[in-house]
Amino acid sequence: MSDQLRPRASLRTAVVWEVLKDALDRRVKATGSNVLDVLDTGGGTGNFAVPVARLGHRVTVVDPSPNALFALERRAAEAGVADRVHGVQGDILGLFDVVERGGYDAVLCHGVLEYVDDPAEGVRHAVEALRPAGALSLLAAGLGGAVLARALAGHFTEARHALGDPEGRWGEGDPMPRRYTAEQLTELVTGADVEVGAIHGVRVFADLVPGVLVDTEPGAAEALLKLEAAAAELPAFHSVATQLHVLGTKGG
């Protein structure tokens, strides 16, 4: 995969992108169609939508922010895929006010479940938007990564608080409304009639390594990418990842 087709900030998104691209390739083979219909809920400015469109697929982005959708339109035009990217204002809990049920080969739900009032309903809506055997790509904040980050910063009380908090928050000043363990995300997905194909830890090391080291040491960025990829599938590292990615397939 060329760097041009990868999402921006690839050090932090490379693992998810490679898993997602493989899932789309499998869906292409299964359907016999080179052009898939992809829904990106909470897709914002198109960090994943535009690269997916550059693969030749049609992408609908649902996002509550008009500013983000405006930036998406501009980014899609700059990438030459404006005809394959469609932005619409809305959110996952009101998803079927703006898109059809059962109309998509793949649904991306990245950075959404942390913010919705009813995560289980959000997952159900994402699944209901899929065609039978469609792919669900779910990305959410991981509890363990936040605990580790607070502890390494010397905020030990906050780290301990996050461990015992039902929403995985380290305190009133925590900007993240909710975090998950791999088990919690798996339960949400399987409860919506989705078979989990893979779970990956994302940003296991990237947020902990000093940026100056990655920027100045020759070959460090590529080596870190390879390390992230190697650790992503190992369950031992899921508990310390900043984000968790679940890839599943809808029943039927």
Side-chain angles (χ1 to χ4, degrees):
M1 174 60 56
S2 70
D3 289 338
Q4 282 188 322
L5 287 180
R6 284 181 175 173
R8 294 185 183 181
S10 62
L11 185 60
R12 295 186 175 186
T13 59
V15 168
V16 179
W17 173 247
E18 294 303 328
V19 172
L20 176 61
K21 183 181 178 298
D22 286 346
L24 294 175
D25 288 345
R26 289 195 300 271
R27 183 65 177 167
V28 164
K29 292 178 181 178
T31 62
S33 172
N34 290 325
V35 181
L36 302 177
D37 293 302
V38 179
L39 176 64
D40 190 353
T41 64
T45 61
N47 191 40
F48 280 90
V50 169
V52 168
R54 293 190 69 173
L55 294 175
H57 306 306
R58 293 182 293 261
V59 187
T60 299
V61 176
V62 176
D63 196 277
S65 169
N67 291 336
L69 293 174
F70 177 77
L72 166 71
E73 183 178 350
R74 184 174 60 219
R75 180 186 283 189
E78 291 173 352
V81 294
D83 59 329
R84 294 197 292 273
V85 177
H86 173 60
V88 59
Q89 189 173 0
D91 61 51
I92 197 165
L93 295 184
L95 190 60
F96 301 115
D97 293 334
V98 294
V99 303
E100 64 176 310
R101 297 177 189 268
Y104 298 90
D105 297 286
V107 172
L108 282 58
C109 184
H110 296 174
V112 173
L113 297 185
E114 298 92 327
Y115 299 95
V116 297
D117 293 333
D118 189 339
E121 184 179 3
V123 174
R124 285 195 298 269
H125 283 194
V127 175
E128 287 173 15
L130 283 168
R131 292 168 178 153
L136 174 68
S137 176
L138 183 66
L139 182 68
L143 171 62
V147 172
L148 183 61
R150 298 316 287 174
L152 291 178
H155 303 298
F156 307 122
T157 300
E158 292 178 349
R160 183 166 57 85
H161 186 278
L163 279 174
D165 186 77
E167 307 297 344
R169 304 182 75 235
W170 48 255
E172 291 297 324
D174 191 340
M176 185 65 67
R178 189 182 292 109
R179 295 184 179 88
Y180 296 89
T181 64
E183 292 75 17
Q184 288 170 333
L185 285 180
T186 299
E187 185 177 346
L188 282 173
V189 169
T190 56
D193 190 30
V194 169
E195 180 182 352
V196 174
I199 302 174
H200 293 84
V202 180
R203 291 158 58 185
V204 175
F205 307 103
D207 291 352
L208 302 176
V209 176
V212 64
L213 174 63
V214 179
D215 294 337
T216 59
E217 288 291 325
E222 187 62 29
L224 181 54
L225 273 174
K226 292 179 180 178
L227 177 60
E228 289 278 356
E233 292 189 60
L234 300 177
F237 290 98
H238 295 168
S239 60
V240 294
T242 299
Q243 292 177 305
L244 294 165
H245 181 246
V246 176
L247 182 71
T249 303
K250 182 178 180 177

